[in-house]
């Protein structure tokens, strides 16, 4: 199994400070943000608990799981469509986006490979949508 370098302590300090600043911002800008301070804590907690299982599996097995096709087949039944841009190396991941087909019309889409700019092997997608004039009952 591969050995990972220890995470520097200052990373945890940055996360703590950004969480405190987020809670302060939510308290100070209540009307503009419309997110209660406990919502930030809930979002952070959910992120931690949802990220840990996948991270442990990926770290212990050395494999990354691609779930895009599974997600898309299930979401098509609910009226969603999606797009994915996979990374260029062997990794089975990338950047995916889903949208409700009857609410949004895709006007333009662009995929970006950061490797082409001399950066690490990562990808992104940029889309422009038009909101369809749909009256929901």
């Amino acid at each position: 199994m591969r050995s990972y370098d220890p995470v520097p302590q200052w990373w945890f300090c940055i996360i703590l400070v950004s969480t405190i600043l987020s809670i302060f911002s939510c308290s100070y800008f209540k009307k503009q943000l419309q997110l209660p301070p406990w919502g930030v804590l809930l979002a952070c907690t959910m992120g931690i608990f949802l990220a840990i299982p996948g991270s442990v599996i990926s770290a212990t097995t050395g494999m990354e799981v691609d779930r895009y096709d599974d997600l898309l087949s299930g979401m098509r039944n609910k009226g969603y469509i999606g797009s994915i841009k996979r990374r260029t190396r062997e990794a089975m991941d990338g950047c995916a986006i889903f949208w409700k087909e009857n609410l949004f019309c895709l006007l333009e889409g662009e995929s970006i490979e950061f490797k082409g700019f001399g950066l690490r092997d990562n990808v992104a997608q940029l889309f422009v949508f038009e909101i369809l004039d749909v009256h929901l009952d």
Side-chain angles (χ1 to χ4, degrees):
M1 181 160 68
R2 202 165 51 175
S3 176
Y4 294 97
D5 294 334
V7 178
Q9 193 67 32
W10 60 271
W11 283 19
F12 297 107
C13 293
I14 288 175
I15 292 171
L16 178 65
V17 168
S18 64
T19 303
I20 291 170
L21 285 174
S22 299
I23 292 171
F24 172 75
S25 297
C26 289
S27 298
Y28 189 75
F29 299 105
K30 282 182 188 174
K31 290 189 179 193
Q32 294 92 338
L33 296 178
Q34 298 180 356
L35 177 68
W38 58 264
V40 175
L41 294 175
L42 179 64
C44 292
T45 305
M46 286 178 58
I48 290 169
F49 284 111
L50 294 176
I52 288 176
S55 301
V56 169
I57 291 170
S58 178
T60 55
T61 64
M63 295 173 23
E64 297 180 24
V65 179
D66 180 13
R67 306 299 298 189
Y68 174 77
D69 294 325
D70 296 336
L71 282 172
L72 183 60
S73 63
M75 293 182 77
R76 276 192 182 139
N77 299 336
K78 295 179 177 14
Y80 288 89
I81 56 175
S83 171
I84 187 168
K85 173 65 178 164
R86 298 184 194 281
R87 288 202 284 173
T88 54
R89 64 183 182 103
E90 308 91 38
M92 296 288 295
D93 66 349
C95 179
I97 184 170
F98 298 92
W99 63 93
K100 195 83 168 178
E101 192 171 19
N102 66 342
L103 297 178
F104 299 98
C105 175
L106 177 63
L107 298 178
E108 190 170 338
E110 183 72 32
S111 295
I112 302 166
E113 292 187 22
F114 292 102
K115 195 174 185 179
F117 298 104
L119 301 170
R120 60 180 269 208
D121 183 23
N122 215 340
V123 293
Q125 294 189 92
L126 179 63
F127 289 99
V128 177
F129 293 97
E130 178 181 14
I131 299 174
L132 298 176
D133 188 21
V134 177
H135 299 286
L136 300 174
D137 296 327

